[in-house]
Amino acid sequence: MIHSWKVPTPVEEITVEGRRCFLKRDDRIHPDFSGNKARKLHYWLHRDLPQIRRLVSYGSPQSNAMYSLSVLARLRGWEFEYFVDHIPAYLRENPQGNYRAALENGTIFNEKKVMRNEKWEEEVLFIEEGGRQPEAEEGIRILAEEIINWQRERGVAKLTVFLPSGTGTTALYLQKSLQFLTLHSSLFTHVVTVPCVGDADYLREQFAMLEPDSSFWPRIVDLPRKYYFGRLYREFYQLWLELYRQTGVEFDLLYDPKGWLTLLERRDKMRGEILYLHQGGLKGNESMLPRYRRKYPKLDEILNGSHLERK
Ligand SMILES: *Cc1c(COP(=O)(O)O)cnc(C)c1O
């Protein structure tokens, strides 16, 4: 349905802090519909769903998933209703990032708590916060196949796929699919992830909602320090800027800083080569980056003259 859907996504070799690793560019799938949300929503993009007229979901008014759902609805000609607890006044008055893009896609915002077990009419497609749905497995299985094919071509016997988690849907289905795909092969491929929303126990609860058999779950690593999701941390911003300087790649500002911080600290405990999954989310940087720049105005001098200056 999206004709310019670019898969398999490229794998690049990058060097961070003097160490080589591989980077799977899922941010490159499509300019409007990319990253792990494109993988998770693959199922609903590729099904005939003649009865559906309206898409309903809920969560934060800044979320990457909300934006991707608004694109899905636009592509499919559906109405999109999105429930939020609250839209902050500054955001309502200065729409930006995911919120602005979702508005431009015609999203109807509803400030009331959604009844998750509400019985929806037949014409409604209800998708859980962050796309935490069993249907997400379909698109993530394709991602797993791409990784295995690349691994074979490249001759990488042992591989750790590393990615930061929110709901953990991507990490879980990736681990499960990779386990099946490598069952009768000599390849060793596994997933390691770090929780960005909540702690390891929270992430395990999320896994359990989708897959009760814990033998399919990815390995979780975490840092001893606590970071709250969506808050600004100097070391996050500094690392994000460093990553840009060293690799030329723009990462997401919500999940990737904790992802990279953890990977750099725990690299020695991981087996084989590392493949970091770039899960997109760059639309969210349009609101995160100005917040960081206001808070740490001196830090971003290394970005002067770069393409990021356009923002
Ligand atoms: C949504 C998102 C995540 C989290 O994905 P889950 O499948 O919910 O774990 C990570 N990184 C980026 C950039 C995202 O947009």
Side-chain angles (χ1 to χ4, degrees):
M1 193 165 299
I2 295 189
H3 299 294
S4 50
W5 185 279
K6 248 181 83 183
V7 287
T9 55
V11 175
E12 294 169 358
E13 213 175 301
I14 56 170
T15 303
V16 177
E17 307 287 303
R19 301 187 71 165
R20 182 186 78 155
C21 70
F22 296 101
L23 179 65
K24 175 102 172 134
R25 300 294 304 266
D26 262 18
D27 56 316
R28 292 275 185 82
I29 292 175
H30 186 274
D32 297 325
F33 201 64
S34 73
N36 68 349
K37 304 306 180 294
R39 302 286 188 182
K40 292 205 265 192
L41 300 177
H42 180 276
Y43 174 95
W44 291 288
L45 194 61
H46 295 272
R47 283 292 174 297
D48 285 333
L49 297 163
Q51 78 284 12
I52 300 301
R53 301 263 177 280
R54 189 154 59 99
L55 177 62
V56 174
S57 188
Y58 67 100
S60 143
Q62 305 263 41
S63 113
N64 295 337
M66 168 196 71
Y67 165 61
S68 297
L69 286 166
S70 78
V71 176
L72 172 68
R74 196 194 64 207
L75 289 167
R76 305 258 359 205
W78 299 332
E79 224 173 68
F80 177 40
E81 187 174 11
Y82 190 74
F83 289 83
V84 289
D85 270 348
H86 173 64
I87 299 174
Y90 76 88
L91 185 63
R92 195 191 291 278
E93 281 148 32
N94 311 286
Q96 48 184 326
N98 287 318
Y99 176 69
R100 174 178 173 167
L103 277 177
E104 285 165 359
N105 284 334
T107 302
I108 301 157
F109 284 89
N110 197 333
E111 271 182 275
K112 106 176 201 277
K113 249 212 147 47
V114 66
M115 303 296 155
R116 290 168 60 181
N117 298 320
E118 195 166 312
K119 267 237 137 312
W120 298 100
E121 310 89 86
E122 255 192 24
E123 58 169 52
V124 171
L125 170 61
F126 177 74
I127 295 184
E128 284 287 347
E129 179 170 21
R132 196 195 63 234
Q133 293 272 157
E135 289 86 349
E137 189 167 5
E138 180 177 289
I140 296 168
R141 195 183 308 122
I142 298 170
L143 167 61
E145 285 163 4
E146 289 179 26
I147 291 171
I148 294 295
N149 289 341
W150 169 82
Q151 213 184 328
R152 289 219 164 88
E153 274 166 33
R154 180 89 196 194
V156 176
K158 286 197 181 67
L159 184 70
T160 294
V161 181
F162 187 86
L163 66 159
S165 277
T167 65
T169 308
T170 311
L172 172 71
Y173 286 133
L174 197 53
Q175 171 62 29
K176 191 177 169 192
S177 302
L178 289 170
Q179 228 163 292
F180 281 114
L181 289 167
T182 54
L183 202 55
H184 301 292
S185 84
S186 58
L187 294 178
F188 171 85
T189 318
H190 79 156
V191 174
V192 178
T193 191
V194 57
C196 295
V197 182
D199 58 8
D201 284 336
Y202 165 84
L203 189 54
R204 278 186 281 267
E205 282 167 26
Q206 301 281 306
F207 291 160
M209 281 192 253
L210 292 172
E211 175 55 68
D213 183 348
S214 63
S215 69
F216 291 118
W217 296 359
R219 197 179 127 205
I220 299 174
V221 291
D222 203 355
L223 296 170
R225 314 173 289 284
K226 180 149 181 58
Y227 293 101
Y228 294 91
F229 187 64
R231 275 202 209 160
L232 309 188
Y233 296 94
R234 186 189 186 88
E235 62 262 43
F236 279 10
Y237 187 38
Q238 212 154 359
L239 178 56
W240 182 87
L241 289 165
E242 260 316 304
L243 286 166
Y244 183 72
R245 194 178 66 80
Q246 293 181 25
T247 66
V249 178
E250 181 182 351
F251 286 94
D252 138 277
L253 274 162
L254 264 178
Y255 298 90
D256 285 327
K258 187 168 180 198
W260 276 102
L261 207 55
T262 310
L263 177 58
L264 292 171
E265 285 191 25
R266 299 301 170 89
R267 170 69 183 90
D268 294 330
K269 300 203 167 57
M270 296 176 200
R271 291 175 69 185
E273 300 284 351
I274 302 289
L275 181 76
Y276 189 96
L277 183 64
H278 193 321
Q279 303 181 88
L282 300 185
K283 184 61 85 184
N285 286 359
E286 291 174 19
S287 51
M288 284 298 282
L289 194 52
R291 288 178 66 204
Y292 266 120
R293 283 184 164 157
R294 275 195 298 274
K295 189 159 181 188
Y296 306 108
K298 295 235 161 54
L299 271 181
D300 72 346
E301 277 154 16
I302 59 171
L303 281 186
N304 282 349
S306 76
H307 80 280
L308 286 168
E309 281 304 304
R310 72 187 141 78
K311 283 166 195 162

